[in-house]
Amino acid sequence: MTRCAPGAPTLGALRAELRRLGDADIAAHSQRFFKTGPGEYGEGDRFRGIRVPVLRKLAARYRDLPLAKAGSLLASAWHEDRLTALLVLVAHYARARPAGRTAVYRLYLRNTAHVNNWDLVDTSAPAIVGEHLLERDRAPLHKLVRSASLWERRIAIIATQHFIRAGDFDTTLALAGALLDDREDLLHTAAGWMLRAVGERDRARLEAFLAEHCRAMPRTMLRYALEKLPPARRRAYLRGETP
C-alpha cells in the first residue's frame, strides 16, 4: 500500500477541515442564493456554509493534494467541497507541465456533472478549459454548447473568457450566436457578459455582432452586452435599430 509522505496533504484532513468550518446560518443563506429549491437551477445542492475567501485559503494550503484525490473531492454532495476541489485543480493546472495539464483538463471534462452551479463553472472553466484550448482545436467547446446540460453549455461560453483576454474573439462570438435560442437565463447572462468583454477590447467586433443579432437576442443577453456602450447606442440597439 502506498503511503503519503509525512506532512503531505491528505483528502481525509481536508474533508475534516471542511466539516469543521461549516456554519448553519451561512448555509441557509447559500441555499437560497444558489436557488436550491424544487425546480430551481441548483435543486438539491447542499451547503456546509463556508465563505469563498475561506475556501480559497484552504485550497491554497492543499494545492499539492494528489490529482486523483481532488477528483474524488469533486464528486462530493457538498457545494463547498466541489468548489475547493476545483480551486485545487486550477492550481494544479497552472503549475503543471504539458502532460499534467492534459491530465487536469481530461479529469475536468470527465466530471462536468459535478461542475453544476454558476460559481463552480466561472471559477474553473477559463483557467482550465479555456487555457487548455487556447492553442488547440475548439471543437470540444462547440460540442459542449450543444449539450443538454445547462452547466456544460455555460462551461463552453465562459471558457472563452481566456481567449478574450488573449485578444481572440471568434469563438466567443460563434458560441454566443449558438446560444441565441437558448431558454436558460443563466446562459443569456453568461453570453452577454462575454460579449461585453469582447466589446471592451474591440468595440467594432461587438457592434458588428449586435447589428446582425440584436433583434433576435434574448433581452438579458442584449442588456449585458450593451453595458459599456454609450447611452445613445444602447438605446438604439434595445429598440432593435442599428445606430
Side-chain angles (χ1 to χ4, degrees), residues 175-188:
L175 296 182
L179 292 170
L180 289 173
D181 295 325
D182 203 287
R183 296 183 178 183
E184 295 286 352
D185 195 61
L186 280 173
L187 270 299
H188 304 163

PDB file of all heavy atoms in Angstrom, residues 175-188:
ATOM      1  N   LEU A 175     -20.046  31.041 -30.321  1.00  0.00           N
ATOM      2  CA  LEU A 175     -20.820  30.366 -29.283  1.00  0.00           C
ATOM      3  C   LEU A 175     -21.980  31.235 -28.807  1.00  0.00           C
ATOM      4  O   LEU A 175     -23.066  30.721 -28.514  1.00  0.00           O
ATOM      5  CB  LEU A 175     -19.918  29.995 -28.108  1.00  0.00           C
ATOM      6  CG  LEU A 175     -18.802  28.982 -28.409  1.00  0.00           C
ATOM      7  CD1 LEU A 175     -18.020  28.677 -27.138  1.00  0.00           C
ATOM      8  CD2 LEU A 175     -19.344  27.709 -29.015  1.00  0.00           C
ATOM      9  N   ALA A 176     -21.772  32.539 -28.726  1.00  0.00           N
ATOM     10  CA  ALA A 176     -22.881  33.431 -28.369  1.00  0.00           C
ATOM     11  C   ALA A 176     -23.989  33.318 -29.408  1.00  0.00           C
ATOM     12  O   ALA A 176     -25.185  33.305 -29.065  1.00  0.00           O
ATOM     13  CB  ALA A 176     -22.390  34.869 -28.253  1.00  0.00           C
ATOM     14  N   GLY A 177     -23.617  33.213 -30.667  1.00  0.00           N
ATOM     15  CA  GLY A 177     -24.612  33.017 -31.708  1.00  0.00           C
ATOM     16  C   GLY A 177     -25.366  31.707 -31.541  1.00  0.00           C
ATOM     17  O   GLY A 177     -26.585  31.644 -31.752  1.00  0.00           O
ATOM     18  N   ALA A 178     -24.656  30.680 -31.110  1.00  0.00           N
ATOM     19  CA  ALA A 178     -25.299  29.376 -30.900  1.00  0.00           C
ATOM     20  C   ALA A 178     -26.272  29.400 -29.727  1.00  0.00           C
ATOM     21  O   ALA A 178     -27.152  28.537 -29.632  1.00  0.00           O
ATOM     22  CB  ALA A 178     -24.233  28.304 -30.677  1.00  0.00           C
ATOM     23  N   LEU A 179     -26.115  30.361 -28.819  1.00  0.00           N
ATOM     24  CA  LEU A 179     -26.960  30.436 -27.625  1.00  0.00           C
ATOM     25  C   LEU A 179     -28.135  31.409 -27.775  1.00  0.00           C
ATOM     26  O   LEU A 179     -28.879  31.621 -26.824  1.00  0.00           O
ATOM     27  CB  LEU A 179     -26.108  30.844 -26.419  1.00  0.00           C
ATOM     28  CG  LEU A 179     -25.081  29.801 -25.963  1.00  0.00           C
ATOM     29  CD1 LEU A 179     -24.139  30.401 -24.922  1.00  0.00           C
ATOM     30  CD2 LEU A 179     -25.766  28.565 -25.396  1.00  0.00           C
ATOM     31  N   LEU A 180     -28.309  31.983 -28.944  1.00  0.00           N
ATOM     32  CA  LEU A 180     -29.383  32.963 -29.126  1.00  0.00           C
ATOM     33  C   LEU A 180     -30.762  32.370 -28.834  1.00  0.00           C
ATOM     34  O   LEU A 180     -31.650  33.075 -28.344  1.00  0.00           O
ATOM     35  CB  LEU A 180     -29.357  33.510 -30.552  1.00  0.00           C
ATOM     36  CG  LEU A 180     -28.194  34.440 -30.899  1.00  0.00           C
ATOM     37  CD1 LEU A 180     -28.203  34.764 -32.381  1.00  0.00           C
ATOM     38  CD2 LEU A 180     -28.252  35.718 -30.068  1.00  0.00           C
ATOM     39  N   ASP A 181     -30.941  31.099 -29.133  1.00  0.00           N
ATOM     40  CA  ASP A 181     -32.247  30.464 -28.916  1.00  0.00           C
ATOM     41  C   ASP A 181     -32.318  29.674 -27.611  1.00  0.00           C
ATOM     42  O   ASP A 181     -33.315  28.994 -27.361  1.00  0.00           O
ATOM     43  CB  ASP A 181     -32.571  29.525 -30.086  1.00  0.00           C
ATOM     44  CG  ASP A 181     -32.733  30.287 -31.395  1.00  0.00           C
ATOM     45  OD1 ASP A 181     -33.236  31.416 -31.352  1.00  0.00           O
ATOM     46  OD2 ASP A 181     -32.335  29.748 -32.445  1.00  0.00           O
ATOM     47  N   ASP A 182     -31.267  29.766 -26.792  1.00  0.00           N
ATOM     48  CA  ASP A 182     -31.272  29.025 -25.526  1.00  0.00           C
ATOM     49  C   ASP A 182     -32.349  29.583 -24.597  1.00  0.00           C
ATOM     50  O   ASP A 182     -32.581  30.794 -24.548  1.00  0.00           O
ATOM     51  CB  ASP A 182     -29.900  29.118 -24.856  1.00  0.00           C
ATOM     52  CG  ASP A 182     -29.646  27.986 -23.886  1.00  0.00           C
ATOM     53  OD1 ASP A 182     -30.261  28.006 -22.789  1.00  0.00           O
ATOM     54  OD2 ASP A 182     -28.871  27.086 -24.211  1.00  0.00           O
ATOM     55  N   ARG A 183     -33.000  28.696 -23.861  1.00  0.00           N
ATOM     56  CA  ARG A 183     -34.098  29.124 -22.983  1.00  0.00           C
ATOM     57  C   ARG A 183     -33.649  29.478 -21.576  1.00  0.00           C
ATOM     58  O   ARG A 183     -34.450  29.963 -20.768  1.00  0.00           O
ATOM     59  CB  ARG A 183     -35.155  28.011 -22.915  1.00  0.00           C
ATOM     60  CG  ARG A 183     -35.829  27.742 -24.254  1.00  0.00           C
ATOM     61  CD  ARG A 183     -36.912  26.702 -24.105  1.00  0.00           C
ATOM     62  NE  ARG A 183     -37.599  26.463 -25.373  1.00  0.00           N
ATOM     63  CZ  ARG A 183     -38.631  25.641 -25.521  1.00  0.00           C
ATOM     64  NH1 ARG A 183     -39.095  24.969 -24.471  1.00  0.00           N
ATOM     65  NH2 ARG A 183     -39.182  25.480 -26.703  1.00  0.00           N
ATOM     66  N   GLU A 184     -32.389  29.234 -21.249  1.00  0.00           N
ATOM     67  CA  GLU A 184     -31.914  29.432 -19.881  1.00  0.00           C
ATOM     68  C   GLU A 184     -31.350  30.835 -19.682  1.00  0.00           C
ATOM     69  O   GLU A 184     -30.409  31.241 -20.352  1.00  0.00           O
ATOM     70  CB  GLU A 184     -30.847  28.395 -19.535  1.00  0.00           C
ATOM     71  CG  GLU A 184     -31.343  26.961 -19.508  1.00  0.00           C
ATOM     72  CD  GLU A 184     -32.190  26.670 -18.275  1.00  0.00           C
ATOM     73  OE1 GLU A 184     -32.267  27.535 -17.381  1.00  0.00           O
ATOM     74  OE2 GLU A 184     -32.761  25.564 -18.214  1.00  0.00           O
ATOM     75  N   ASP A 185     -31.913  31.554 -18.711  1.00  0.00           N
ATOM     76  CA  ASP A 185     -31.439  32.910 -18.446  1.00  0.00           C
ATOM     77  C   ASP A 185     -29.989  32.927 -17.990  1.00  0.00           C
ATOM     78  O   ASP A 185     -29.262  33.882 -18.265  1.00  0.00           O
ATOM     79  CB  ASP A 185     -32.339  33.572 -17.396  1.00  0.00           C
ATOM     80  CG  ASP A 185     -32.130  35.083 -17.332  1.00  0.00           C
ATOM     81  OD1 ASP A 185     -32.374  35.749 -18.362  1.00  0.00           O
ATOM     82  OD2 ASP A 185     -31.721  35.585 -16.273  1.00  0.00           O
ATOM     83  N   LEU A 186     -29.549  31.882 -17.307  1.00  0.00           N
ATOM     84  CA  LEU A 186     -28.146  31.823 -16.879  1.00  0.00           C
ATOM     85  C   LEU A 186     -27.198  31.773 -18.068  1.00  0.00           C
ATOM     86  O   LEU A 186     -26.047  32.189 -17.972  1.00  0.00           O
ATOM     87  CB  LEU A 186     -27.911  30.607 -15.983  1.00  0.00           C
ATOM     88  CG  LEU A 186     -28.341  30.746 -14.525  1.00  0.00           C
ATOM     89  CD1 LEU A 186     -28.212  29.409 -13.816  1.00  0.00           C
ATOM     90  CD2 LEU A 186     -27.526  31.803 -13.798  1.00  0.00           C
ATOM     91  N   LEU A 187     -27.665  31.254 -19.191  1.00  0.00           N
ATOM     92  CA  LEU A 187     -26.853  31.252 -20.403  1.00  0.00           C
ATOM     93  C   LEU A 187     -26.909  32.611 -21.088  1.00  0.00           C
ATOM     94  O   LEU A 187     -25.910  33.068 -21.653  1.00  0.00           O
ATOM     95  CB  LEU A 187     -27.327  30.157 -21.354  1.00  0.00           C
ATOM     96  CG  LEU A 187     -26.662  28.784 -21.202  1.00  0.00           C
ATOM     97  CD1 LEU A 187     -25.176  28.859 -21.452  1.00  0.00           C
ATOM     98  CD2 LEU A 187     -26.941  28.174 -19.851  1.00  0.00           C
ATOM     99  N   HIS A 188     -28.050  33.278 -21.023  1.00  0.00           N
ATOM    100  CA  HIS A 188     -28.150  34.619 -21.582  1.00  0.00           C
ATOM    101  C   HIS A 188     -27.210  35.565 -20.834  1.00  0.00           C
ATOM    102  O   HIS A 188     -26.518  36.388 -21.446  1.00  0.00           O
ATOM    103  CB  HIS A 188     -29.582  35.140 -21.461  1.00  0.00           C
ATOM    104  CG  HIS A 188     -30.608  34.259 -22.093  1.00  0.00           C
ATOM    105  ND1 HIS A 188     -31.964  34.362 -21.796  1.00  0.00           N
ATOM    106  CD2 HIS A 188     -30.504  33.236 -22.992  1.00  0.00           C
ATOM    107  CE1 HIS A 188     -32.629  33.460 -22.491  1.00  0.00           C
ATOM    108  NE2 HIS A 188     -31.768  32.760 -23.213  1.00  0.00           N
TER     109      HIS A 188
END
